[in-house]
Amino acid sequence: MAKTRVLVEFGMGTSLRREDYTEAARRAIKDALWHNSVSMAELFDFSKEDMIIDAEIGVQKPEAVDKHALLEIFPYGRPSIRVVEGGLNIEKPHGGCTVIANAAVVVSFDMEAAE
């Protein structure tokens, strides 16, 4: 079997006031997931639990993201979270910043390679 990518979705999320990197990441993942209404598992005759879900999140402070909290977003499948430096921090005039996170969610299945 070979891990075969079948879908990629992108999302953006923010934390406007609290500088909460996990919340911005959560919103970015949800933004990516809610763009998709395709039933990928059924399309390929797999169960939803067979979905391999790789989410990559970009924020300015990757160490401030609770990856375990993000795993709770996915109702099925085998999700993994990778947090990297990216996104944006937009400074506010009176201190603090707005946090912007970007997400890429990749859905794959173990499929037989074509000969």
Side-chain angles (χ1 to χ4, degrees), residues 62-107:
E63 69 281 358
V65 175
D66 180 353
K67 293 193 292 187
H68 297 291
L70 300 179
L71 290 172
E72 298 170 359
I73 297 169
F74 300 92
Y76 41 76
R78 300 183 315 237
S80 67
I81 306 285
R82 181 170 173 243
V83 184
V84 299
E85 190 170 336
L88 290 170
N89 282 355
I90 307 299
E91 299 300 321
K92 294 180 179 180
H94 302 294
C97 66
T98 294
V99 174
I100 300 175
N102 296 104
V105 177
V106 178
V107 177

Side-chain angles (χ1 to χ4, degrees), residues 13-24 27 59-61 63-64 86-101:
T14 62
S15 175
L16 298 174
R17 294 172 197 83
R18 296 180 304 151
E19 297 181 36
D20 186 332
Y21 289 85
T22 300
E23 186 59 33
R27 290 173 176 162
V59 293
Q60 288 290 298
K61 293 183 180 178
E63 69 281 358
L88 290 170
N89 282 355
I90 307 299
E91 299 300 321
K92 294 180 179 180
H94 302 294
C97 66
T98 294
V99 174
I100 300 175

Side-chain angles (χ1 to χ4, degrees), residues 27-57:
R27 290 173 176 162
I29 291 171
K30 286 184 175 184
D31 184 44
L33 292 175
W34 277 233
H35 281 157
N36 175 9
S37 63
V38 179
S39 300
M40 297 309 297
E42 292 85 358
L43 182 65
F44 291 100
D45 202 27
F46 286 105
S47 78
K48 291 180 179 180
E49 291 305 318
D50 293 326
M51 294 171 61
I52 302 165
I53 304 166
D54 297 304
E56 187 166 339
I57 311 300

